[in-house]
Amino acid sequence: MDKDKRKNILSKNLIRPISNEKWQPITLPLFSILISFIAAAIVILIIGKNPLQAFYNLLQGSGILPKPSYAGYKSMLTDFLSLLNAMTPLVFASLAVAVAFKAGLFNIGVSGQMLVSGFLATVIVGYSGLDAVIAKPLVLLIGIIAGGLMGGLVGWLKYKFNINEVVSTIMLNYIAQYVISFFIQMYYVDPISRQSKYISEEARLTLVNVEIANLKMDIPLGFIIAIIIAIILKFVMDKTVVGYEIKAVGNNRNAAKYAGINVGGNTVLAMVISGGLAGLAGVTYYLGYFSSIQPKVLSSIGFDSIAVSLLGNSHPIGVIFSSFLVSIIDQGSTYMSSQAGIRQEISSVIIGLILLFSACGEYLKHKVSRVKEKEVERKESES
């Protein structure tokens, strides 16, 4: 009996921080992050390194904390701007996954949508010689349209023929990867880098090596747009009929259909929005963070965005913070490796652990509710 009592007390103490349903969208991701870093710390201890030193170096490498010294024209600010530059396409890609999740869909084709959008914007604008005032908005527009059309195709196949979106997006990823690789190799390859030819600076969405106060920094123009779009998405999902219908379809398609909601139309619309956001991820990646495209390679951002969206509970604001965390881990891993003597792959282990524990969110909610029910039953039996 005493053993059961101690077990109950331990269970209640463990779940107390995540027991409030109102705060679970925040507390559950934080709990997942904490458990992930504890697990990563154990792995680092096993290989004989200091986890606190490793995490400190991780923050230094990403521009959150200062390094002991910097190369010319560099500082903590330039490192932090590089972090935001890398984070920008991840935010767009994660928002794309989040919108699809809201509609009960799994957009695993973000990488392919990114690639198609980036390639079309590169060919149409990146090599055109247009002035920056025209080229940069046009790049964004092409990204939205190309990605939206690809996403819309997936939604239409789901609505018209009930083709699972996971299957169609995976197949479209392969089609995009090899068709675009063919065109790059045949018409646009750079003979030295073996990637696509570099785009003009006027078409690039990152201002590179801007000299301010004796510092050379990369300024990501798309970052502010990503924040604005996340806020707009939150408003649309929470305050508009469109957002309500998309979420209703995602929660229960049959009930939504019974209520008179156009299930097929909202499925296509959700995938158009998701694809458009993936397109913005593509142009901020291939014409922002980078300025060329590597043939036969799909960006890992399209797959990392699934973890980021899960961690952020598919909430637009949560996605911003989870993107920030994952970008810190990714960007700081090189410096951590050089300073702490830990292989760079440990960052992938941490991100993988975050994904694993984030996916357990529903299980944790179930355990919390079960503990609460048992506590109520115990009080009723005592009374």
Side-chain angles (χ1 to χ4, degrees), residues 236-249 259 261:
V236 169
M237 289 297 172
D238 293 347
K239 304 294 183 183
T240 68
V241 174
V242 171
Y244 172 79
E245 290 187 348
I246 287 174
K247 289 190 291 185
V249 171
I261 294 172

Side-chain angles (χ1 to χ4, degrees), residues 272-321:
V272 167
I273 296 171
S274 178
L277 291 166
L280 287 173
V283 294
T284 52
Y285 183 75
Y286 293 111
L287 293 92
Y289 186 59
F290 290 110
S291 59
S292 65
I293 301 171
Q294 186 177 354
K296 294 185 182 179
V297 175
L298 288 173
S299 169
S300 63
I301 284 178
F303 305 105
D304 292 342
S305 60
I306 299 169
V308 172
S309 184
L310 283 171
L311 182 61
N313 271 323
S314 299
H315 189 286
I317 306 304
V319 160
I320 293 173
F321 287 103

Side-chain angles (χ1 to χ4, degrees), residues 118-362:
F119 176 73
L120 290 176
T122 294
V123 173
I124 296 170
V125 183
Y127 302 146
S128 67
L130 290 171
D131 289 337
V133 177
I134 300 172
K136 294 183 193 301
L138 192 55
V139 164
L140 294 170
L141 182 62
I142 291 171
I144 294 170
I145 293 172
L149 288 173
M150 275 197 77
L153 174 60
V154 172
W156 181 77
L157 291 172
K158 173 78 173 180
Y159 158 61
K160 198 71 175 177
F161 305 105
N162 198 29
I163 297 175
N164 188 288
E165 70 280 1
V166 174
V167 175
S168 58
T169 49
I170 289 174
M171 293 301 101
L172 285 170
N173 277 349
Y174 283 117
I175 292 169
Q177 182 179 1
Y178 289 105
V179 169
I180 288 173
S181 175
F182 168 79
F183 280 105
I184 290 175
Q185 298 283 16
M186 289 296 294
Y187 304 107
Y188 304 108
V189 70
D190 184 290
I192 298 173
S193 67
R194 304 307 301 172
Q195 300 184 22
S196 67
K197 296 174 184 176
Y198 294 102
I199 61 169
S200 66
E201 289 299 319
E202 286 75 17
R204 195 166 178 183
L205 297 175
T206 298
L207 304 179
V208 183
N209 288 329
V210 178
E211 191 165 343
I212 302 174
N214 203 35
L215 296 173
K216 288 185 178 179
M217 52 191 73
D218 297 341
I219 302 175
L221 301 177
F223 179 74
I224 301 299
I225 299 172
I227 302 302
I228 292 170
I229 286 180
I231 294 169
I232 292 172
L233 267 181
K234 184 183 185 308
F235 175 81
V236 169
M237 289 297 172
D238 293 347
K239 304 294 183 183
T240 68
V241 174
V242 171
Y244 172 79
E245 290 187 348
I246 287 174
K247 289 190 291 185
V249 171
N251 288 328
N252 192 318
R253 301 175 77 86
N254 292 329
K257 186 177 181 180
Y258 183 78
I261 294 172
N262 185 346
V263 174
N266 279 285
T267 298
V268 175
L269 176 61
M271 284 306 300
V272 167
I273 296 171
S274 178
L277 291 166
L280 287 173
V283 294
T284 52
Y285 183 75
Y286 293 111
L287 293 92
Y289 186 59
F290 290 110
S291 59
S292 65
I293 301 171
Q294 186 177 354
K296 294 185 182 179
V297 175
L298 288 173
S299 169
S300 63
I301 284 178
F303 305 105
D304 292 342
S305 60
I306 299 169
V308 172
S309 184
L310 283 171
L311 182 61
N313 271 323
S314 299
H315 189 286
I317 306 304
V319 160
I320 293 173
F321 287 103
S322 55
S323 298
F324 186 61
L325 172 66
V326 171
S327 297
I328 287 172
I329 296 169
D330 186 55
Q331 291 297 110
S333 61
T334 302
Y335 188 78
M336 177 190 70
S337 178
S338 64
Q339 295 298 307
I342 297 172
R343 291 186 66 85
Q344 195 172 341
E345 287 77 8
I346 196 69
S347 64
S348 299
V349 172
I350 298 172
I351 293 172
L353 288 169
I354 289 173
L355 173 59
L356 175 63
F357 290 113
S358 297
C360 296
E362 290 302 319

Side-chain angles (χ1 to χ4, degrees), residues 25-93:
I26 297 173
T27 55
L28 280 175
L30 290 176
F31 183 76
S32 299
I33 293 166
L34 176 62
I35 297 299
S36 303
F37 275 94
I38 290 173
I42 293 171
V43 172
I44 294 171
L45 281 171
I46 289 172
I47 62 176
K49 302 295 181 180
N50 185 345
L52 293 178
Q53 182 64 42
F55 296 150
Y56 183 77
N57 294 146
L58 197 69
L59 295 174
Q60 285 180 311
S62 58
I64 305 299
L65 293 176
K67 296 175 183 175
S69 61
Y70 291 90
Y73 300 102
K74 297 296 178 183
S75 72
M76 191 173 89
L77 176 60
T78 60
D79 285 349
F80 184 72
L81 286 172
S82 295
L83 170 70
L84 297 185
N85 193 22
M87 174 184 164
T88 300
L90 183 59
V91 173
F92 282 124

